[in-house]
């Protein structure tokens, strides 16, 4: 099982401080992703944002971060995959006063970790430029790694504290806590298509395949050879569930309008075979389903 999870990651928690009162949307990941992406483009793109015609596309920092290429490309992958990172933000406040802080996480995978300095610079610039409709300015005051070490403390940066680790180490640590896996809860919407239809309720086979597919593609990004066919059919059972549909509005710069992303949230009582439990824990880091780059598909088990 450890061979499946030899995927590097660094999970970073950013703390932003607002110097004045401001207003932000309930759901913030799309806003943060878009703002950081725009700053990355402004600071690094020399091809007039026409990636198809740009002769520097192979070395583009923005492409390396947001659309990192797979070293092993499965035949069913027809477009760019946003695999190298996920965002998380559970802060649903909309009103912020002077001195209030906002925390969000960004987990970097594989070779994307080496581009953290560009991400750091982009977040710093975003604070000066402003985020959201109100162009809310902020100060980036702290970045912590998964162990609480300060990669950034005010103006001091220590890249040694990025401390990349393997997802297998995370899964092993979770298993060593000795807690039985009996529940699974999605804390952000799951958008997942199975047998041609989007899920309206949680389904065992769909979840197993989605978790395995995510691990498989991350291994492809790392260049690790892994069996494509999922060997875990029947390793996971849902005994009860509570589910609700969710719609999250976001502004799309591509379409120049607000669109709604749809999914399901809720929790379920589960039984999982011991061989599959490490992948369940791994999925906590990687997220699953569609729109993971927008913060979707985040779950916790325990």
């Amino acid at each position: 099982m450890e061979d499946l999870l030899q995927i590097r990651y660094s999970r970073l928690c950013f703390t932003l401080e607002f110097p004045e009162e401001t207003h932000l949307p309930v759901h913030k990941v799309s806003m943060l992703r878009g703002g950081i992406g725009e700053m990355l483009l402004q600071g690094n793109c020399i091809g007039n944002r026409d990636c198809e015609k740009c002769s520097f596309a192979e070395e583009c920092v923005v492409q390396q971060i947001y659309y990192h290429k797979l070293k092993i490309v499965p035949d069913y992958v027809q477009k760019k995959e946003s695999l190298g990172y996920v965002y998380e933000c559970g802060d649903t406040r909309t009103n912020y006063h002077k001195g209030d802080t906002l925390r969000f996480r960004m987990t970097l995978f594989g070779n994307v970790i080496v581009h953290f300095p560009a991400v750091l610079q982009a977040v710093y610039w975003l604070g000066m430029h402003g985020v959201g409709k109100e162009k809310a300015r902020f100060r980036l005051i702290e970045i912590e790694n998964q162990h609480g070490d300060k990669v950034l403390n005010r103006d001091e940066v220590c890249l040694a504290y990025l401390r990349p680790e393997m997802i297998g180490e995370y899964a092993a640590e979770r298993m060593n806590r000795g807690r039985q896996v009996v529940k699974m809860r999605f804390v952000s919407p799951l958008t997942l298509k199975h047998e041609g239809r989007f899920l309206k309720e949680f389904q065992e086979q769909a979840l197993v395949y989605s978790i395995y597919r995510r691990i498989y593609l991350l291994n492809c990004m790392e260049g690790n050879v892994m069996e494509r066919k999922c060997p875990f059919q029947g390793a996971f059972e849902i005994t009860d569930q509570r589910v609700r549909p969710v719609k999250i509005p976001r502004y799309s710069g591509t379409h120049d309008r607000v669109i709604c992303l749809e999914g399901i949230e809720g929790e379920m009582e589960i039984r999982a075979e011991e061989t599959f439990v490490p992948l369940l824990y791994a999925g906590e880091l990687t997220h699953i389903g569609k729109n993971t780059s927008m913060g979707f598909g985040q779950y916790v088990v325990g």
Side-chain angles (χ1 to χ4, degrees):
M1 178 59 66
E2 288 186 3
D3 292 342
L4 302 183
L5 301 177
Q6 294 303 298
I7 301 162
R8 294 165 295 168
Y9 82 98
S10 186
R11 196 180 193 199
L12 304 167
C13 183
F14 294 72
T15 301
L16 318 179
E17 182 182 73
F18 298 101
E20 57 189 13
E21 186 171 332
T22 192
H23 180 84
L24 295 175
V26 173
H27 305 287
K28 301 173 179 63
V29 170
S30 176
M31 173 193 71
L32 291 165
R33 176 189 180 274
I36 293 171
E38 176 61 26
M39 294 301 103
L40 285 169
L41 285 168
Q42 288 188 20
N44 297 280
C45 178
I46 59 174
N48 200 29
R49 306 198 182 200
D50 190 348
C51 300
E52 298 300 323
K53 297 180 180 179
C54 181
S55 61
F56 298 104
E58 289 290 325
E59 300 298 328
C60 174
V61 173
V62 186
Q63 293 289 318
Q64 293 284 356
I65 295 172
Y66 268 21
Y67 301 102
H68 199 282
K69 287 187 176 181
L70 305 181
K71 292 181 180 178
I72 301 171
V73 184
D75 54 12
Y76 64 82
V77 175
Q78 303 296 327
K79 59 181 182 179
K80 296 176 181 177
E81 294 270 357
S82 299
L83 286 169
Y85 65 94
V86 293
Y87 287 101
E88 299 172 356
C89 183
D91 191 331
T92 57
R93 291 175 295 167
T94 57
N95 294 313
Y96 292 82
H97 301 288
K98 180 179 180 180
D100 283 353
T101 58
L102 168 68
R103 291 162 68 89
F104 73 91
R105 284 191 177 92
M106 186 179 188
T107 304
L108 305 176
F109 300 104
N111 284 342
V112 178
I113 296 170
V114 79
H115 297 294
F116 165 77
V119 174
L120 171 61
Q121 187 177 54
V123 178
Y124 177 76
W125 284 342
L126 184 60
M128 295 189 294
H129 179 269
V131 67
K133 283 186 177 181
E134 296 189 4
K135 297 297 181 184
R137 297 188 178 187
F138 61 79
R139 287 188 288 267
L140 175 59
I141 61 174
E142 186 177 271
I143 303 175
E144 294 180 333
N145 68 11
Q146 55 265 33
H147 300 289
D149 302 316
K150 289 180 171 50
V151 180
L152 170 71
N153 186 11
R154 296 292 175 176
D155 296 323
E156 295 183 6
V157 179
C158 181
L159 293 181
Y161 282 143
L162 282 176
R163 290 181 60 183
E165 297 179 356
M166 296 293 180
I167 290 181
E169 296 172 342
Y170 172 85
E173 191 276 331
R174 293 283 276 116
M175 293 189 73
N176 286 340
R177 296 181 191 177
R179 296 177 182 174
Q180 185 179 4
V181 176
V182 294
K183 288 187 178 181
M184 182 175 184
R185 179 169 61 94
F186 276 87
V187 298
S188 72
L190 170 69
T191 301
L192 184 59
K193 183 179 283 189
H194 183 63
E195 295 181 346
R197 296 182 179 181
F198 285 103
L199 297 189
K200 300 299 182 183
E201 63 179 14
F202 301 116
Q203 296 181 15
E204 292 103 333
Q205 191 175 21
L207 292 171
V208 169
Y209 284 173
S210 185
I211 293 170
Y212 189 83
R213 181 181 186 275
R214 186 74 170 178
I215 297 300
Y216 173 72
L217 288 175
L218 283 168
N219 272 294
C220 288
M221 191 177 77
E222 288 277 48
N224 302 331
V225 177
M226 176 178 165
E227 176 61 43
R228 174 175 166 179
K229 185 177 180 181
C230 177
F232 293 103
Q233 293 91 338
F236 178 82
E237 179 185 1
I238 299 172
T239 59
D240 190 25
Q241 65 175 282
R242 291 158 291 282
V243 62
R244 62 185 179 276
V246 181
K247 291 184 178 181
I248 294 182
R250 65 172 290 265
Y251 175 76
S252 170
T254 304
H255 299 91
D256 193 24
R257 62 183 175 88
V258 174
I259 61 175
C260 277
L261 301 178
E262 299 185 23
I264 55 175
E265 283 185 353
E267 64 180 31
M268 65 201 91
E269 296 177 12
I270 63 174
R271 284 197 289 264
E273 292 182 5
E274 187 174 350
T275 54
F276 186 65
V277 171
L279 266 74
L280 267 178
Y281 285 134
E284 290 182 323
L285 290 177
T286 67
H287 299 193
I288 62 171
K290 295 180 177 294
N291 301 320
T292 54
S293 65
M294 305 293 180
F296 276 39
Q298 180 189 357
Y299 69 82
V300 292
V301 294

